[in-house]
Amino acid sequence: MITLGIDPGIGGGWATLYNGKLDQWGRMPKLKVRSKTLVDAAELFNQIPPGCYQGVVELVSGRPGQSGVFAFGHSTGSATAVAMIRCTKMEWVSPQVWKKHFGLSKDKRASLDAARMKFGPGPDWSVLANDGIAEAALMAQWYLDTKTKTV
C-alpha cells in the first residue's frame, strides 16, 4: 500500500510511505511567475509516483493580513489537485490534529527529529529546509495510524 503525504506550502514537501516505510520524497517544486513564487504543479505531478492508493494533504489556511495569501492558496490548491489526481482516496488533516498525534508543536526541528526517529535514513533530517518532507511523511504516518484498519 502506498500512502502520500503533502505539506502544500512553498517550503513544503511530499513523501510516500510504502507499507509504512519511507519510500520516496521531495521538496515542493517551485515556479517563478513574475514576482511570485508558486508551486510548480506540473513538476509536482511528475515527481509523485503513479499508483498512489491513498493520500493526505495538510488542511491549511491563510490568516487575514498575511502577506502572500494568494500565493499560499495557489500552492495549496495545486498540491491538492495533484494529490487528487494521483490518489484514489483522499483525506485532509489540520496541523493541530496530526501534530497532536505525535506530540509535536509548531517547532520544525521537532518534526525533523520525529521523522528521523520514525523513518530512519532518508533525506538529511538535520537540514531545516527538509522540514516539509518530514511533516509530509508524518502526515502519511498519521493517516496509517488513524484511518486504516488493522486485520
Side-chain angles (χ1 to χ4, degrees):
M1 175 184 333
I2 299 172
T3 307
L4 168 68
I6 298 182
D7 177 353
I10 290 293
W14 62 271
T16 60
L17 304 183
Y18 181 72
N19 292 330
K21 300 206 182 310
L22 185 62
D23 183 45
Q24 296 184 37
W25 59 84
R27 290 185 191 162
M28 199 59 65
K30 298 175 181 94
L31 175 68
K32 195 76 163 166
V33 177
R34 296 190 184 118
S35 64
K36 303 277 186 210
T37 301
L38 305 173
V39 165
D40 185 337
E43 181 58 26
L44 180 61
F45 179 81
N46 290 331
Q47 288 180 9
I48 294 174
C52 180
Y53 172 71
Q54 54 200 9
V56 60
V57 176
E58 190 171 50
L59 183 62
V60 292
S61 60
R63 293 179 293 280
Q66 181 183 30
S67 66
V69 170
F70 175 80
F72 187 57
H74 180 281
S75 297
T76 301
S78 294
T80 299
V82 169
M84 291 177 83
I85 293 167
R86 283 288 189 220
C87 298
T88 58
K89 191 173 182 183
M90 281 293 304
E91 181 80 24
W92 289 264
V93 63
S94 71
Q96 294 83 2
V97 168
W98 74 261
K99 287 184 179 198
K100 181 179 180 181
H101 177 74
F102 292 105
L104 298 172
S105 66
K106 293 180 181 182
D107 179 16
K108 301 294 188 180
R109 181 66 58 200
S111 294
L112 286 158
D113 291 343
R116 179 180 50 79
M117 295 296 292
K118 175 68 186 163
F119 304 111
D124 186 346
W125 299 122
S126 68
V127 175
L128 191 57
N130 287 336
D131 69 298
I133 298 168
E135 295 195 346
L138 290 167
M139 277 182 266
Q141 186 63 54
W142 167 85
Y143 182 93
L144 291 174
D145 290 350
T146 63
K147 302 296 178 182
T148 58
K149 296 184 192 291
T150 56
V151 179

